[in-house]
Amino acid sequence: MIVKAVLSDANKLTEIAINSKAFWGYSDELIESWREDLTVTPKMFQDFNIYKYIVDTEIAGFYILYRANIRTSFLEFLFVSPKFINQGIGKQLLDHAIKYCIGGSSAILNVLSDPNAEAFYAKHGFKVIGRRESSIKGRLLPEMELEFPENM
């Protein structure tokens, strides 16, 4: 079940983001250097739309969506707890975010993807529109977008 997250979820969402990132084999040192970027803050609950996926009573994953302008929304975070990876939860969260965007008349959903997630987004119709250097020298992050047909 996907429901709106609440401020009291912030620490658990941060923990999921950090553990999900670590799942891909990044060093503890790198994960620690990204801790601030992966922290879900109280301000995010004011500025962004945050939805969580619940399994029984446990938060299994979440996404954070930001409406940048009249045409474009940004998927800031989409993370699934490692114990729930490969169970279709990421796809369900992404589908929910896409429906939310379409319902709000966004024309484009943009994501700055982790290289490990590029294939996931590509499988769901996202196209690479550029690559940005990350904080790790020589590591490029795919900037991807999904454009919604006008008649959806």
Side-chain angles (χ1 to χ4, degrees), residues 9-10 29 35 37 69 73 83 86 91 98 112 119 122 151:
D9 294 326
E29 183 179 83
R35 180 173 292 278
D37 294 336
N69 57 48
S73 291
K83 81 182 226 185
N86 289 324
K91 179 189 181 332
I98 289 168
L112 185 61
N151 59 357

Side-chain angles (χ1 to χ4, degrees), residues 20-46:
S20 180
K21 197 75 154 172
F23 175 83
W24 297 104
Y26 293 113
S27 70
D28 292 345
E29 183 179 83
L30 263 180
I31 295 296
E32 200 50 46
S33 75
W34 292 331
R35 180 173 292 278
E36 187 177 332
D37 294 336
L38 295 172
T39 297
V40 178
T41 65
K43 183 159 176 32
M44 289 176 167
F45 285 87
Q46 295 170 9

Side-chain angles (χ1 to χ4, degrees), residues 97-106 148 152:
I98 289 168
K99 285 180 186 143
Y100 187 92
C101 288
I102 292 168
S105 300
S106 284
F148 308 121
M152 284 186 95

Side-chain angles (χ1 to χ4, degrees), residues 1-15:
M1 164 173 61
I2 298 173
V3 296
K4 201 155 181 62
V6 295
L7 183 56
S8 60
D9 294 326
N11 288 341
K12 180 62 177 173
L13 300 182
T14 297
E15 178 187 319

